[in-house]
Amino acid sequence: MASRFWKNILSLLFKKYINLVDFTPLYIPRKTENMKQSHHHKQILQIALPSIISNITVPLLGLVDLAIVGHLGSPSYIGAIAIGGTIFNMIYWIFAFLRMGTSGMTSQAYGAQNNEEINNLLYRSLSSSFIIAFFVILFKNPILTLSIYVLSPPPSVLKLATDYYDVCIWGAPAVFGLYSLTGWFIGLQKAKFPLYVAIVQNIINIAASVFLVFIMNTSIKGVATGTVIAQYCGFALSVYFAHRLYKTFKPANGVIFKQVFNPQAIRVFFGINRDIFLRTLCLVCVTLYFTSAGAKQGEVILAVNTLLMQYFTFYSFFMDGLAFAGEALAGQCAGAKDDKKLKTVVRDLFIWCSAVALVFTSFYGIAGYNLLSLLTDEIQVRLQANNYLPWAVGIPFAGLAAFTWDGIFIGLTATRYMLLSMFAATLLFFMVFYYTSPYMGNHALWLAFLLYLITRGTVQHILYYNRIINNNTLHH
């Protein structure tokens, strides 16, 4: 009864806003077809496991750069990589919709066995990626100026960070192109290809950077050049894999570019990606404010929050992998109009995500303090972090529903619902912190963050069952 009471209350709170919004494009499966129901766990693992490994390898690109400059004889080099890495993380994070939007739409076309649209989406997404990359490079100087203003690096770091940025910015076309191709692969349930690309990228990055820095004596520009070389090699390998898949899904009449750039299709494509873009901006605001609010409480609290946030980051590598499986399988169900399979996929995803959350909660609860000892030797930081460790232990189950529903909603291209849930969660985050921080200090920040995660999942849960499953008016 209590669960139903709160569900109805939250539904009423958001009902007025929901009804004012045009939620197209959103394809809701209503027709149940005779598809196999027995292999969902295997399908989930086939997509999730390579994606998890690939996610874990992503930070290695930055770690390799740090390890190399750490031997150049000055801490300024490390600071330059940190500043440059932060700038590019923000740029690329904001445009991550290129991967997510492509994944959801491709998985639906795959489920509908629409080879023409599968290939149209690849060309449509890649074209968008290159256009965005062109404008990022065109406005590279204003972006750098704004970033330097916000981050305020010391003079000894500024010149080196600028050198690093001026080289790495030319990797934008490869990075955005990789986003499109990765989303396309995930939508086609070929998660092993992004894994192969990530491994090759890291090997090339290590080899090229070491050669350029220690053999050619190119300093920090060599590190940046090695990174760009690795990015373009990864993109080239992805193009090769895409060419192989193209032969499998090649449409009978070939690619008709009039269909690729059909105005209605373009409107749908950018409508979905616009919602993901705005959602990502909310996520960036929460992340940046979390760091900023910790910094205002002193360097010890900043260090504590940074270390404990690594618990969330490591957990997210696993949950994002399962979310990728949700994108591919939920989209396939939508494309095939298979309501029954969709419900089974949702159930099985929650089983796996709950198991992962339980493992991480147990691990953090038992070994959380010892893990802090591996991350830092500073006794003061470890003692302070121990006071906030229970919040980190609560992260896995607080974020369980949010990660799971995110994948499902991307697959269903229910991106407006994702934006709504993120907006509600972001608003609650700032409200909770504002009203509780005078009494709770840094505990208020962690309380606000966990409630932010819980709210995202709760609102999406309500929207899924009240608007997607039970509301026939959104069936297209």
Side-chain angles (χ1 to χ4, degrees):
M1 288 296 292
S3 175
R4 177 175 291 184
F5 171 76
W6 286 110
K7 181 184 290 188
N8 291 335
I9 290 295
L10 288 169
S11 178
L12 288 172
L13 286 174
F14 295 111
K15 184 176 181 181
K16 182 178 180 180
Y17 175 76
I18 293 169
N19 289 334
L20 293 176
V21 179
D22 176 16
F23 284 98
T24 56
L26 172 62
Y27 192 81
I28 308 303
R30 291 294 169 188
K31 177 186 174 184
T32 300
E33 296 184 357
N34 185 24
M35 298 178 66
K36 293 183 180 181
Q37 305 291 325
S38 58
H39 300 296
H40 299 146
H41 294 296
K42 183 178 179 180
Q43 284 181 295
I44 289 170
L45 291 178
Q46 285 176 337
I47 300 169
L49 289 178
S51 299
I52 290 169
I53 299 171
S54 180
N55 288 340
I56 293 173
T57 66
V58 169
L60 290 179
L61 285 170
L63 288 175
V64 167
D65 290 350
L66 280 174
I68 291 173
V69 300
H71 293 84
L72 292 181
S74 172
S76 297
Y77 289 103
I78 298 176
I81 293 294
I83 293 296
T86 300
I87 294 172
F88 285 108
N89 284 341
M90 289 298 103
I91 294 173
Y92 295 148
W93 198 4
I94 287 173
F95 293 107
F97 63 79
L98 290 166
R99 187 208 65 76
M100 290 185 279
T102 303
S103 172
M105 288 180 276
T106 301
S107 63
Q108 290 194 10
Y110 179 61
Q113 300 180 0
N114 186 342
N115 288 358
E116 288 80 4
E117 186 60 13
I118 287 174
N119 286 281
N120 289 342
L121 282 165
L122 176 61
Y123 285 99
R124 199 173 295 143
S125 183
L126 282 173
S127 300
S128 302
S129 295
F130 294 144
I131 291 171
I132 290 172
F134 170 78
F135 282 104
V136 167
I137 292 175
L138 182 65
F139 293 103
K140 65 185 182 70
N141 290 334
I143 292 172
L144 177 62
T145 302
L146 177 61
S147 301
I148 294 301
Y149 173 78
V150 172
L151 297 173
S152 301
S156 60
V157 171
L158 178 57
K159 174 62 169 62
L160 294 172
T162 302
D163 289 342
Y164 182 83
Y165 174 89
D166 286 340
V167 175
C168 274
I169 193 68
W170 295 100
V175 173
F176 292 144
L178 276 168
Y179 280 172
S180 293
L181 289 165
T182 299
W184 198 66
F185 293 146
I186 295 297
L188 296 176
Q189 301 181 21
K190 303 295 182 182
K192 62 182 180 180
F193 290 154
L195 173 59
Y196 298 156
V197 170
I199 293 172
V200 169
Q201 263 192 280
N202 279 286
I203 293 173
I204 292 175
N205 185 41
I206 293 170
S209 296
V210 168
F211 174 78
L212 290 169
V213 173
F214 297 114
I215 305 298
M216 302 300 294
N217 297 315
T218 52
S219 187
I220 197 165
K221 288 187 177 181
V223 175
T225 303
T227 299
V228 173
I229 290 172
Q231 289 166 343
Y232 277 99
C233 288
F235 176 69
L237 183 59
S238 291
V239 170
Y240 167 73
F241 288 140
H243 179 68
R244 286 178 53 185
L245 281 177
Y246 177 80
K247 294 179 180 178
T248 303
F249 299 103
K250 185 177 180 179
N253 299 321
V255 176
I256 302 174
F257 284 94
K258 187 177 180 181
Q259 294 179 1
V260 173
F261 300 107
N262 176 276
Q264 173 63 18
I266 293 294
R267 187 189 74 82
V268 170
F269 182 83
F270 281 102
I272 290 172
N273 286 323
R274 176 200 59 219
D275 294 337
I276 300 174
F277 172 75
L278 294 174
R279 168 192 173 273
T280 303
L281 286 182
C282 290
L283 193 153
V284 169
C285 286
V286 170
T287 302
L288 290 179
Y289 189 83
F290 187 94
T291 302
S292 174
K296 291 177 182 178
Q297 299 178 68
E299 62 179 14
V300 173
I301 292 298
L302 174 60
V304 166
N305 288 349
T306 302
L307 290 176
L308 291 179
M309 190 53 75
Q310 300 310 306
Y311 290 33
F312 173 74
T313 301
F314 188 57
Y315 168 68
S316 70
F317 290 154
F318 288 78
M319 294 300 284
D320 277 339
L322 288 166
F324 287 0
E327 295 173 21
L329 297 177
Q332 183 187 18
C333 294
K337 302 181 181 180
D338 194 327
D339 225 3
K340 184 177 180 181
K341 184 177 180 181
L342 174 62
K343 293 176 181 178
T344 310
V345 164
V346 170
R347 181 201 66 195
D348 292 347
L349 278 169
F350 267 96
I351 290 173
W352 280 104
C353 290
S354 298
V356 170
L358 179 61
V359 169
F360 272 89
T361 299
S362 302
F363 176 65
Y364 290 158
I366 296 170
Y369 184 76
N370 292 329
L371 187 58
L372 286 172
S373 302
L374 293 176
L375 296 174
T376 180
D377 293 327
E378 296 291 331
I379 299 296
Q380 185 181 6
V381 172
R382 293 209 314 253
L383 291 175
Q384 282 277 22
N386 199 43
N387 294 328
Y388 302 100
L389 187 58
W391 296 110
V393 175
I395 282 175
F397 275 102
L400 163 64
F403 278 103
T404 311
W405 286 123
D406 277 352
I408 294 165
F409 277 40
I410 288 172
L412 298 178
T413 60
T415 52
R416 191 63 56 87
Y417 292 146
M418 292 177 65
L419 174 59
L420 177 64
S421 64
M422 179 62 80
F423 179 78
T426 302
L427 183 63
L428 182 67
F429 170 83
F430 286 106
M431 288 177 59
V432 169
F433 180 70
Y434 177 79
Y435 286 110
T436 61
S437 57
Y439 313 102
M440 299 179 62
N442 195 51
H443 287 287
L445 191 59
W446 283 99
L447 172 64
F449 183 71
L450 262 66
L451 288 176
Y452 152 83
L453 292 175
I454 292 169
T455 302
R456 279 171 54 190
T458 301
V459 173
Q460 285 177 300
H461 180 87
I462 292 168
L463 290 174
Y464 177 80
Y465 284 103
N466 285 2
R467 304 294 299 186
I468 294 179
I469 294 298
N470 297 328
N471 194 336
N472 291 319
T473 61
L474 292 180
H475 178 229
H476 300 286

